[in-house]
Amino acid sequence: MEFRLDGIVHINYGKCGIGKINLELKPLGKCSRCKKNEAIINLAYARQRLCKDCFNDFFVNRVRRVVEEFRMFKPGERVAVAVSGGKDSVALLHALKKAFPEQDIYAFYINLGIKYYSDHLEKKVIELAEMVGVPIEIYNLKEKEGYTIDDFLLTKYKNKMCSVCGLIKRNIFTTLAVRVNADTVATGHNLDDTVSTMMSLFFAGDFEGIARLKPVLKPLIKGQPRKIKPLITTPEIEDLYYVALNELPVQECGCPHGEFTPIKGMKKWLDEMEKEQPDIKFRLLSVFRRKFIPLVDRGLGEEGVEEVRACTVCGMPSSSEICSKCRRVMELMEIKERRGEIKMEITFEELERLREKERVVLLDVRDRKEYEVYTLEGAINIPADEIQKRWKELLKYKRTHKVVVFCNAGRSSYAVAVKLRNLGFDAYSLKGGIISHIQP
Ligand SMILES: [Zn+2]
Ligand SMILES: [Zn+2]
């Protein structure tokens, strides 16, 4: 984020190009609240234009009100906050501490072992916890459980990475919260996340799923923490404003496994609707929460809720003897046992040896111009930001070739190689990029 002399705030989220957001906040005249400072944020649904200070107050007050209205926690209780390093959980931790300075707040971060991503986020969240003044516990998946999220590229879940990852994160957050005797686990789900998920589940006919999106979810097993969503009425964009205006440490790159999910499509659709009806997201949340969920809950009451017991491996709630997280991890460990560690990166020397004995297609994911100036012999060019649209051009190599992806330094090529593995290609990333070849 940077301030310019003409009063424009330039927000740059996702520097490395994956999940990039660029925003400009322009001066909008006098602030509707203090009538003194220059407003920079327009809240169309509230018919207000706010300056930085008034926006911060507004944001923190809303978090306080939601916590109190839904009785999310009481004074003296321990609140564990699941921090990922993304804008939502970063804003949540900061605002929660501002709204409840006396509360016993405890932060968790799970290092998922996603290359070029998780370690970067770990630094950010440690910096954040220090700044906010709360203790933080780092849980390293590789060290603690012997696998990483990247390893799931070896399994049949390679094209469902986000759902496996979500399952594992939820399970571990609850486990950690139980261990430190937390009364609640707070997550950064915002208004847009909640409403778009509700709509997607609605179209899929999963009404029980919608009922699980309450602001407060009671534990399925006695003694476990309840789950709360203090940002459930906070629009997604405002988390970004809050993080940028307060210069909080936040992730600079998107996850390489990020995929286009139905939820993202639904978000776009809601954003379009919002242009006509600025309060549409709030109204949908209210209809689901006040009218629809009570109806589903009553229906479930008659039929009887699915029986829940404790997983025999991890002790977390499960509908069968072993929970779905533990089952997926067991599947992964079996495959790792047979095939060894996952290999995503190869060096230039390994590439040369590989080309002697196997059919290899080289994929240059740098810009067209860079490709035209210099590339590796025989390489084809699809720039990294066009992969989503153009990966089908590679289909003809899928069964016959290994795909070796390269860029300048080996970072965006890694993300593309991951994406191609998600899609079922035998893809690798050239370690150190083309630079490693030019300057050995
Ligand atoms: Zn103001
Ligand atoms: Zn389990």
Side-chain angles (χ1 to χ4, degrees):
M1 188 199 65
E2 49 190 90
F3 284 98
R4 285 213 307 255
L5 284 176
D6 51 6
I8 296 174
V9 184
H10 191 73
I11 298 176
N12 207 334
Y13 184 71
K15 269 185 211 155
C16 74
I18 309 166
K20 195 168 177 164
I21 305 175
N22 282 314
L23 284 173
E24 274 192 351
L25 298 181
K26 296 196 180 82
L28 300 166
K30 286 269 171 283
C31 169
S32 328
R33 294 216 165 175
C34 64
K35 318 256 191 272
K36 201 173 75 202
N37 302 332
E38 188 71 40
I40 45 171
I41 290 173
N42 179 25
L43 304 176
Y45 60 86
R47 293 170 202 247
Q48 293 199 32
R49 293 172 169 197
L50 301 181
C51 70
K52 178 187 165 186
D53 292 345
C54 292
F55 172 74
N56 275 338
D57 286 346
F58 172 84
F59 190 97
V60 172
N61 283 335
R62 179 170 48 201
V63 170
R64 188 185 298 117
R65 254 196 343 265
V66 167
V67 168
E68 287 168 355
E69 183 188 339
F70 296 105
R71 299 197 187 101
M72 290 186 168
F73 50 78
K74 295 196 277 276
E77 286 190 337
R78 171 167 275 193
V79 182
V81 182
V83 188
S84 70
K87 61 183 181 345
D88 304 304
S89 59
V90 166
L92 172 66
L93 185 67
H94 190 270
L96 213 50
K97 187 68 184 173
K98 276 250 178 302
F100 300 94
E102 302 302 322
Q103 199 73 35
D104 177 9
I105 296 176
Y106 196 98
F108 284 119
Y109 171 74
I110 305 175
N111 186 319
L112 298 161
I114 299 172
K115 200 147 191 176
Y116 298 119
Y117 184 64
S118 297
D119 291 346
H120 155 73
L121 290 178
E122 184 175 319
K123 282 193 212 110
K124 296 282 177 184
V125 295
I126 290 175
E127 204 185 313
L128 173 75
E130 220 159 82
M131 183 174 168
V132 175
V134 299
I136 184 162
E137 181 174 338
I138 307 288
Y139 187 88
N140 189 305
L141 201 55
K142 177 87 188 170
E143 285 166 18
K144 294 279 178 15
E145 306 195 7
Y147 62 91
T148 67
I149 290 298
D150 284 354
D151 288 342
F152 277 94
L153 289 172
L154 292 167
T155 70
K156 66 171 184 269
Y157 304 105
K158 60 174 174 277
N159 58 354
K160 298 189 191 80
M161 296 294 278
C162 293
S163 85
V164 173
C165 184
L167 197 68
I168 290 175
K169 281 194 288 192
R170 282 194 297 277
N171 179 289
I172 295 175
F173 277 134
T174 314
T175 310
L176 292 176
V178 168
R179 228 182 45 209
V180 301
N181 289 317
D183 301 281
T184 80
V185 181
T187 53
H189 296 96
N190 58 47
L191 175 68
D192 299 53
D193 294 332
T194 310
V195 176
S196 55
T197 308
M198 283 173 165
M199 296 292 284
S200 298
L201 292 173
F202 183 80
F203 288 132
D206 183 357
F207 300 160
E208 289 171 43
I210 295 174
R212 281 194 292 270
L213 294 170
K214 295 179 184 112
V216 178
L217 203 57
K218 282 189 223 126
L220 292 168
I221 293 179
K222 233 184 136 205
Q224 293 195 347
R226 57 189 172 275
K227 294 180 180 164
I228 61 169
K229 300 185 183 74
L231 297 181
I232 196 166
T233 58
T234 298
E236 180 159 2
I237 189 84
E238 291 177 35
D239 285 339
L240 184 60
Y241 292 154
Y242 187 80
V243 164
L245 291 174
N246 294 292
E247 297 181 60
L248 306 180
V250 70
Q251 79 175 64
E252 283 165 2
C253 292
C255 175
H257 300 290
E259 56 197 83
F260 192 84
T261 60
I263 308 277
K264 284 186 195 162
M266 194 58 75
K267 275 189 180 175
K268 268 194 183 165
W269 187 68
L270 285 164
D271 286 342
E272 277 307 307
M273 301 271 291
E274 195 180 37
K275 287 177 191 159
E276 299 288 323
Q277 306 176 50
D279 62 346
I280 182 79
K281 293 170 188 169
F282 294 93
R283 282 197 286 132
L284 279 170
L285 180 69
S286 166
V287 167
F288 274 113
R289 206 175 57 71
R290 289 173 204 274
K291 307 275 184 190
F292 193 75
I293 293 181
L295 216 60
V296 176
D297 278 347
R298 275 210 294 280
L300 285 178
E302 282 157 24
E303 287 172 30
V305 191
E306 203 182 353
E307 202 199 326
V308 172
R309 46 180 153 174
C311 165
T312 49
V313 181
C314 68
M316 290 298 116
S318 170
S319 54
S320 52
E321 203 182 330
I322 298 175
C323 77
S324 33
K325 177 242 175 182
C326 292
R327 266 186 280 136
R328 279 162 182 71
V329 171
M330 283 155 76
E331 262 177 75
L332 170 68
M333 292 317 237
E334 260 171 50
I335 292 172
K336 274 176 65 120
E337 192 87 352
R338 280 204 311 274
R339 291 186 40 186
E341 289 297 309
I342 187 165
K343 187 168 173 62
M344 284 295 302
E345 291 184 303
I346 62 171
T347 63
F348 200 79
E349 291 68 39
E350 286 173 311
L351 170 63
E352 288 194 317
R353 280 202 297 278
L354 192 66
R355 288 181 93 177
E356 282 165 17
K357 54 183 207 285
E358 295 203 51
R359 299 173 82 180
V360 173
V361 57
L362 285 170
L363 176 63
D364 185 343
V365 293
R366 299 171 306 151
D367 293 341
R368 176 110 217 140
K369 273 189 193 136
E370 292 173 292
Y371 171 75
E372 278 164 4
V373 173
Y374 175 74
T375 190
L376 298 178
E377 199 193 328
I380 55 171
N381 177 234
I382 302 179
D385 54 3
E386 292 176 23
I387 279 290
Q388 195 80 34
K389 288 201 301 273
R390 295 178 52 193
W391 66 271
K392 288 204 174 96
E393 293 171 28
L394 298 167
L395 269 179
K396 54 179 178 272
Y397 304 109
K398 192 167 172 181
R399 294 191 190 288
T400 50
H401 288 65
K402 290 193 189 310
V403 183
V404 176
V405 190
F406 65 93
C407 61
N408 281 320
R411 196 187 191 298
S412 31
S413 62
Y414 187 85
V416 172
V418 164
K419 170 104 337 219
L420 292 176
R421 288 247 185 149
N422 295 153
L423 293 164
F425 287 87
D426 192 8
Y428 300 84
S429 169
L430 183 64
K431 195 172 182 173
I434 199 168
I435 294 168
S436 73
H437 172 54
I438 302 170
Q439 305 159 324

